[in-house]
Amino acid sequence: MWPLQKFVSIRWKFLAVCLICLTLPTIILGALIYQTYYREAQENMRRDLVLIAQNWRSIADIYHEELQRILKREEVLVEKRLESVVQSVQLDIELCGQVPGEEGAARFQQLLDNLAKIRLGRSGYIFILNGQGKYVLSRDRQFDGQDALAIQPALVSSKYKELLAVYRRMAKDEVKILHYSWKDPGQTEERMKVVALVYIPDRDMVVGANMYYTDFKSYELKRILAEELRDRMADQKIGDHGYVFAIDDGGRFMVSHDRLRDGEDVTGYGVSQGGHFFRTLLAQVRRLPPEKTLISSYIWKDFDEATRHRRLVAVAYNSSWGWAIGASASEQDFLKGLAVIRRNVVQTCLWFILLGTLVALFLAAHIARPISRLEHIAAKGDLDVEMDPLLLASNDEIGSLGRALDGMMKMLREKIGELERSRLELELKNKELQTAQFNLIRTEKLAAIGQLAAGVAHEINNPLAYVMSNMETLEEYIRAYEDVLADIEQLAKRSASWVSAEEASADMSTYTVRMTGARFTQARGDIVKMISELQGGLARVKRIVMDLRTFARSEYEDMVEVAVEDVLEQAITIVRGQIRHNAELVLDYDQTPPVRCQTQRIGQVFINILVNASQAIRTGNGRILVRTYVSGDWVCVEISDNGEGIAEEHLSRVFEPFFSTKPVGRGTGLGLSISYDIVKKHGGNMQVRSELGKGTTFTVCLPKAGAGKVVS
């Protein structure tokens, strides 16, 4: 197999792998086939739903036409019956008028009583109005003699006015048939009714006989036909989960799935229940031409369903019944027929993918074997390892890669040797740089000490001069004490030779005079006071020396937790002699937590800033304010002066090495640069703001001890 490799290019191997991509078109083709069947099934369902909705709209029209035909026939019969009733009543009234006197009046009243008992259908009755619009005969005679316009609501009273206007234009024996809506006293809603009117001129009254549409026998037929139509719609099944529904203009279900929601107001449903969809659907379908059908989809869940799912719906509007008739089907129903096609497509794709995977595994193993050997060589990290001769002899891309890797390893061996030499040189340069940096810092520190030497010497000279003065006085007192002690010794020797009291008294008088002259009592009090003052002066000298010693300590110092105010006090002790001649030093310390730092290096920062502040004040009546405060996780020191200030164009360069605004010979230009590096190495930050002629403020912020890494 190895000899064949020299004639086989890795490019052909990759081309073989690309054959696997044949599976991709297969999958795409299968997806396109499935999508085509899917769209065709969906379109068939849409077409079927439209036909079903239009068919039920036509059936509803047929039911309505049949109902209207029956209602019209009964309406004619009712009108003839009412016409016959009013004509009969007219004849009876005219007969009563032919009887004179009280007997005629009594017969008329008896007639009215009999007429009041008559019911036309379930709720129809006979009424009589005179020319003034008052009831001669009302329903159950409860409003007889009352003005019809006064006892009825405004809407009904307008109907009475129409009736009065009609009958006043009627001729004798003329019968008028009217249809209108009406509401009797005590009723909650208006209903359609039909009335027959006849005018009797001799008595100036109109006789009416009326009957509500609801009393028609065929009116019950409307309910029966509507219920039959709804039952037939409910029996219609579309697939496994489809059905026909109907919603009236008020948004109520006339026909729902299995009649379980009949009467519910679907427009009152929430958005998640489909209420918004049905409100929009009703508004759109009412605007459609009669022959058009609306197609849409919505999310719905019936009572017998556990989850909500998408449904397709075709809706047609039937204006005769005022119903929106919809044919609804679940997407699951038409997707069932696609399950077999989808399963076959998926299985075919899986087989191609499996076959392609096997081929890819074989080709990958064949291609990766020499690459794995190269990887093994590279993973060892041993640049002296020998490459496989067979690999180097291969004529394909792997052989070229092996030869390139072998050449690269040789080159790396040479470069590593050069890098090692460069590393040694770099370490040497780094040590030299560290030494130079150390010397530079020491030089700056010595320069600062040189600038402060006169002030420190003055600070030390004052207490030392006081100590020397007190030492001279103390020496005088000691000599006086020595003289007194010598006199006491002489007096003790002479006391042995005293022979009389007069001799002893004379020696004691001489001793007393000398004691008085030596001011022994005064000297004793002065000595105690001078010793206390000597201790204070020497302690002051010791403190200055200790602070100076701390400032001059070695750079290699451990980090310690210390109050920033203590470091400031040490720095102020050193520079106080230089500051006091031309500025007032004001301290404003806050209660700050400790910081972790190298005290002598941070002290060097404060000394540099304080010396610069002192040198910036030329008037002799300056003011330097040292303030400490806490800002979040930072402890900040702010040193402000009212000196000359720094020009705006120089502010961005104050921390650059060797940059100085001082005259030549008064500064190295390294103080602020070194201070800035010291603060940065402590994890802090240093800022400056200044205005020419008004002064400068330096702010040094260090992280609290234990605060970890703090973001500036």
Side-chain angles (χ1 to χ4, degrees):
M1 188 173 183
W2 285 106
L4 294 177
Q5 283 189 338
K6 61 177 66 178
F7 303 105
V8 178
S9 172
I10 195 170
R11 183 178 302 168
W12 296 108
K13 297 176 183 177
F14 281 117
L15 288 175
V17 175
C18 292
L19 292 177
I20 302 172
C21 295
L22 289 174
T23 57
L24 182 60
T26 303
I27 294 174
I28 295 175
L29 182 60
L32 291 176
I33 293 173
Y34 176 77
Q35 190 67 24
T36 302
Y37 277 104
Y38 179 89
R39 285 196 296 267
E40 185 177 350
Q42 192 176 43
E43 187 61 32
N44 290 337
M45 173 155 281
R46 288 174 179 268
R47 186 166 54 252
D48 292 343
L49 292 177
V50 169
L51 291 175
I52 293 172
Q54 292 177 344
N55 181 51
W56 279 111
R57 179 176 60 189
S58 301
I59 294 174
D61 285 335
I62 294 172
Y63 268 78
H64 187 267
E65 291 171 0
E66 179 65 17
L67 176 63
Q68 292 302 313
R69 185 181 61 79
I70 297 173
L71 285 175
K72 188 64 178 177
R73 184 176 61 187
E74 186 175 5
E75 182 181 306
V76 173
L77 295 176
V78 169
E79 288 176 355
K80 291 186 176 297
R81 179 186 174 191
L82 294 178
E83 181 180 353
S84 174
V85 169
V86 295
Q87 288 175 343
S88 176
V89 173
Q90 177 188 18
L91 180 60
D92 290 340
I93 293 174
E94 289 176 350
L95 291 176
C96 290
Q98 294 175 3
V99 178
E102 295 181 358
E103 182 180 356
R107 286 188 178 184
F108 182 70
Q109 290 298 324
Q110 182 64 38
L111 176 62
L112 293 179
D113 290 338
N114 294 335
L115 293 176
K117 297 176 182 178
I118 296 174
R119 287 290 175 266
L120 305 174
R122 291 190 300 271
S123 57
Y125 56 90
I126 300 171
F127 66 90
I128 301 175
L129 292 172
N130 62 19
Q132 290 76 36
K134 294 182 178 181
Y135 273 115
V136 177
L137 174 63
S138 62
R139 183 175 183 177
D140 298 329
R141 309 209 65 176
Q142 55 182 334
F143 301 118
D144 287 6
Q146 298 185 33
D147 189 349
L149 300 177
I151 64 175
Q152 294 285 13
L155 181 62
V156 177
S157 296
S158 65
K159 301 294 183 183
Y160 274 115
K161 292 179 182 179
E162 294 177 9
L163 292 177
L164 293 174
V166 168
Y167 88 75
R168 284 174 180 154
R169 295 193 300 268
M170 293 172 57
K172 183 180 179 181
D173 297 333
E174 179 184 1
V175 178
K176 194 74 171 180
I177 304 296
L178 299 176
H179 297 263
Y180 56 90
S181 60
W182 188 263
K183 183 176 71 173
D184 284 319
Q187 294 180 343
T188 58
E189 61 182 10
E190 293 186 4
R191 294 179 292 170
M192 287 298 296
K193 70 188 314 184
V194 57
V195 62
L197 299 175
V198 62
Y199 178 57
I200 304 176
D202 296 341
R203 289 182 175 267
D204 190 21
M205 62 178 58
V206 63
V207 178
N210 61 59
M211 181 184 292
Y212 283 102
Y213 280 16
T214 54
D215 293 342
F216 290 7
K217 292 181 180 180
S218 57
Y219 194 83
E220 182 65 19
L221 179 63
K222 179 180 180 180
R223 186 190 64 80
I224 295 172
L225 289 176
E227 190 65 25
E228 180 183 342
L229 178 61
R230 292 162 66 185
D231 287 339
R232 289 184 61 184
M233 286 183 178
D235 292 338
Q236 173 81 58
K237 299 300 180 184
I238 305 173
D240 294 335
H241 303 88
Y243 51 85
V244 176
F245 66 87
I247 303 173
D248 66 6
D249 289 336
R252 294 184 300 272
F253 264 128
M254 291 291 101
V255 181
S256 61
H257 184 209
D258 294 332
R259 308 294 301 274
L260 297 176
R261 287 181 169 175
D262 285 9
E264 285 189 17
D265 185 2
V266 295
T267 60
Y269 291 170
V271 175
S272 61
Q273 299 171 298
H276 176 73
F277 167 76
F278 281 109
R279 285 193 294 272
T280 305
L281 183 70
L282 288 173
Q284 292 176 346
V285 78
R286 290 193 193 106
R287 295 194 295 267
L288 288 177
E291 69 279 0
K292 295 295 183 180
T293 303
L294 179 67
I295 300 292
S296 184
S297 63
Y298 63 103
I299 304 297
W300 187 256
K301 182 175 80 70
D302 286 309
F303 286 127
D304 58 348
E305 295 174 339
T307 58
R308 301 166 67 232
H309 54 271
R310 181 172 297 279
R311 303 183 68 89
L312 292 175
V313 62
V315 184
Y317 185 68
N318 185 282
S319 58
S320 301
W321 292 90
W323 291 358
I325 301 174
S328 174
S330 173
E331 283 189 349
Q332 299 174 359
D333 294 341
F334 73 85
L335 288 177
K336 282 184 178 180
L338 299 174
V340 176
I341 297 175
R342 182 174 57 202
R343 185 167 57 250
N344 292 336
V345 170
V346 170
Q347 288 177 353
T348 303
C349 292
L350 288 176
W351 278 111
F352 270 95
I353 292 173
L354 179 60
L355 180 61
T357 302
L358 295 176
V359 174
L361 288 174
F362 172 76
L363 292 177
H366 183 68
I367 295 173
R369 191 176 298 113
I371 297 178
S372 298
R373 290 199 296 271
L374 291 176
E375 182 183 6
H376 180 69
I377 293 173
K380 278 186 173 182
D382 186 3
L383 298 178
D384 297 326
V385 69
E386 292 294 333
M387 297 288 290
D388 188 349
L390 292 178
L391 182 62
L392 296 176
S394 176
N395 293 326
D396 59 10
E397 287 82 354
I398 300 296
S400 300
L401 180 61
R403 290 187 291 274
L405 181 61
D406 186 57
M408 185 183 66
M409 290 169 61
K410 293 178 181 178
M411 187 182 301
L412 283 175
R413 286 195 291 268
E414 297 175 358
K415 295 297 183 182
I416 288 175
E418 295 177 2
L419 287 175
E420 183 64 22
R421 290 190 295 272
S422 300
R423 184 185 65 81
L424 294 176
E425 294 177 1
L426 184 61
E427 287 181 354
L428 180 60
K429 295 294 183 182
N430 190 33
K431 289 180 181 179
E432 293 175 356
L433 184 61
Q434 289 178 351
T435 303
Q437 184 181 18
F438 177 76
N439 293 332
L440 188 61
I441 294 174
R442 286 189 59 189
T443 301
E444 176 61 22
K445 187 182 295 185
L446 291 174
I449 292 175
Q451 293 177 3
L452 299 173
V456 173
H458 182 73
E459 287 293 309
I460 296 176
N461 187 54
N462 285 340
L464 284 179
Y466 189 70
V467 168
M468 293 298 295
S469 175
N470 284 348
M471 289 295 291
E472 291 175 359
T473 304
L474 185 60
E475 183 180 6
E476 293 177 2
Y477 284 148
I478 291 174
R479 289 176 181 173
Y481 272 109
E482 289 177 350
D483 292 341
V484 171
L485 289 175
D487 290 340
I488 292 174
E489 289 176 358
Q490 290 293 329
L491 183 63
K493 291 179 181 179
R494 289 176 61 84
S495 63
S497 60
W498 286 341
V499 293
S500 65
E502 291 80 3
E503 187 178 359
S505 176
D507 288 341
M508 289 299 295
S509 297
T510 302
Y511 172 74
T512 302
V513 171
R514 291 187 176 182
M515 284 288 290
T516 303
R519 295 178 295 175
F520 182 75
T521 303
Q522 178 183 355
R524 184 173 58 186
D526 289 345
I527 289 172
V528 174
K529 183 177 180 181
M530 283 189 293
I531 291 174
S532 176
E533 292 175 349
L534 286 172
Q535 290 175 342
L538 292 174
R540 180 177 176 83
V541 173
K542 179 182 178 182
R543 179 183 175 188
I544 294 172
V545 173
M546 290 298 293
D547 290 342
L548 193 59
R549 178 187 172 191
T550 300
F551 177 66
R553 190 181 302 163
S554 171
E555 293 294 319
Y556 303 104
E557 175 189 16
D558 293 334
M559 302 282 284
V560 295
E561 291 188 9
V562 64
V564 75
E565 290 80 7
D566 294 341
V567 182
L568 278 169
E569 286 298 325
Q570 293 176 0
I572 290 171
T573 300
I574 297 174
V575 301
R576 190 185 299 275
Q578 181 173 344
I579 293 175
R580 66 171 54 179
H581 299 294
N582 58 347
E584 174 191 5
L585 186 62
V586 181
L587 304 180
D588 181 12
Y589 292 160
D590 196 1
Q591 294 182 351
T592 61
V595 298
R596 187 170 179 82
C597 67
Q598 293 175 323
T599 55
Q600 65 89 15
R601 302 198 71 182
I602 295 300
Q604 182 180 353
V605 173
F606 294 150
I607 288 174
N608 287 338
I609 297 175
L610 288 168
V611 169
N612 287 342
S614 175
Q615 293 176 350
I617 298 172
R618 306 289 178 85
T619 59
N621 58 349
R623 183 174 182 270
I624 298 176
L625 172 63
V626 180
R627 187 168 73 93
T628 63
Y629 60 92
V630 178
S631 176
D633 289 331
W634 299 92
V635 176
C636 298
V637 178
E638 188 176 272
I639 301 176
S640 304
D641 65 72
N642 59 350
E644 296 177 344
I646 304 172
E648 184 177 356
E649 61 269 18
H650 294 156
L651 278 177
S652 60
R653 301 185 60 195
V654 293
F655 298 124
E656 293 181 5
F658 304 107
F659 177 79
S660 176
T661 60
K662 299 176 185 178
V664 177
R666 293 197 59 185
T668 62
L670 292 173
L672 289 178
S673 175
I674 292 174
S675 299
Y676 185 82
D677 290 340
I678 291 173
V679 173
K680 283 297 182 182
K681 288 178 180 178
H682 280 75
N685 62 74
M686 185 173 176
Q687 298 175 348
V688 59
R689 62 180 187 274
S690 180
E691 187 174 352
L692 200 62
K694 293 187 178 181
T696 303
T697 299
F698 281 90
T699 304
V700 177
C701 291
L702 299 172
K704 297 178 184 177
K709 187 176 181 180
V710 182
V711 180
S712 301

